C-alpha cells in the first residue's frame, strides 16, 4: 500500500508553538491509525504482549487525562484494554476530547518554566516544558507502535 505521510508542523518563533505543534502532529497520527479499521481488527492484539490499535489510543487517552487534567489512574496496564462495548470511533472520539481539553489547559500557559498541573497521586509536578516533551515522547513512541500494528492489519504505512 502506498505511503501517505502528512507534513510536519511548521517552524515557529516560540518554543511553546514548536512543542505543541509536534504534539498535535503526533496525536493526529495516532488517531488516524485507528480509523478505517474494522473494530475487530483494531481491537485484535498484534503482538504477543497483547497490544492493539484501540488499546494504544485508549492508553494515550488516560495519559492525557492524567498529566494535563489531573485524573487518577489506578491500573496503568488496564488502560491498554478498551471496554468491550467501545468502537474504534468511540475510542478515537474520547482521545480527541481528552486532547482538546488538554490543549485548553496548555493554551493558558505563558511560562514553560512553571509547574504543570500536579498529576493525581503525585506530590509534585514537573515543569510545563518537561510535560510537553514527555507527551511528545510518549505519543511518538506509541505512534510508532500504531504504525506497525496498522501495517500488520492492512498494509497501510505512513503518518
Amino acid at each position: 500500500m502506498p505511503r501517505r505521510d502528512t507534513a510536519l508542523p511548521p517552524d515557529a518563533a516560540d518554543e511553546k508553538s514548536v512543542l505543541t505543534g509536534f504534539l498535535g502532529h503526533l496525536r493526529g497520527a495516532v488517531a488516524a491509525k485507528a480509523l478505517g479499521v474494522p473494530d475487530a481488527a483494531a481491537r485484535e492484539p498484534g503482538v504477543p504482549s497483547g497490544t492493539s490499535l484501540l488499546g494504544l489510543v485508549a492508553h494515550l487517552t488516560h495519559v492525557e487525562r492524567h498529566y494535563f487534567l489531573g485524573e487518577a489512574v489506578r491500573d496503568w496496564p488496564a488502560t491498554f484494554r478498551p471496554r468491550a462495548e467501545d468502537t474504534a470511533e468511540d475510542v478515537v472520539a474520547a482521545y480527541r476530547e481528552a486532547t482538546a481539553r488538554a490543549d485548553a489547559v496548555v493554551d493558558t500557559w505563558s511560562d514553560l518554566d512553571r509547574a504543570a498541573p500536579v498529576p493525581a497521586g503525585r506530590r509534585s509536578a514537573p515543569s510545563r516544558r518537561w510535560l510537553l516533551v514527555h507527551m511528545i515522547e510518549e505519543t511518538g513512541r506509541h505512534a510508532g507502535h500504531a504504525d506497525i500494528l496498522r501495517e500488520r492489519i492492512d498494509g497501510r504505512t505512513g503518518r
Side-chain angles (χ1 to χ4, degrees):
M1 193 161 250
R3 178 179 272 291
R4 293 179 23 214
D5 277 351
T6 58
L8 292 173
D11 194 3
D14 66 289
E15 178 184 22
K16 180 180 165 187
S17 295
V18 171
L19 295 174
T20 57
F22 272 90
L23 181 56
H25 175 72
L26 290 167
R27 288 168 167 168
V30 167
K33 288 297 176 178
L35 292 176
V37 179
D39 285 340
R43 169 179 302 288
E44 181 70 25
V47 291
S49 67
T51 304
S52 70
L53 273 175
L54 288 190
L56 288 172
V57 179
H59 170 70
L60 285 170
T61 301
H62 288 281
V63 172
E64 293 274 348
R65 290 175 179 160
H66 176 71
Y67 279 106
F68 290 113
L69 307 174
E71 293 186 15
V73 176
R74 289 187 217 124
D75 182 359
W76 280 107
T79 67
F80 283 94
R81 295 186 297 276
R83 297 175 309 181
E85 66 271 15
D86 286 340
T87 66
E89 287 182 5
D90 295 336
V91 173
V92 171
Y95 180 57
R96 288 184 170 150
E97 186 268 338
T99 61
R101 288 178 58 206
D103 284 344
V105 169
V106 174
D107 285 347
T108 69
W109 296 354
S110 59
D111 183 355
L112 297 183
D113 290 330
R114 294 189 62 197
V118 177
R122 308 251 173 120
R123 285 188 271 243
S124 63
S127 73
R128 293 167 176 179
R129 177 180 295 102
W130 183 93
L131 178 54
L132 288 172
V133 172
H134 171 62
M135 290 305 296
I136 291 167
E137 175 271 328
E138 178 83 3
T139 308
R141 178 172 174 249
H142 291 311
H145 297 146
D147 285 341
I148 292 165
L149 292 172
R150 181 65 186 258
E151 184 175 0
R152 288 188 59 153
I153 292 169
D154 64 7
R156 182 173 165 208
T157 64
R159 286 179 284 230

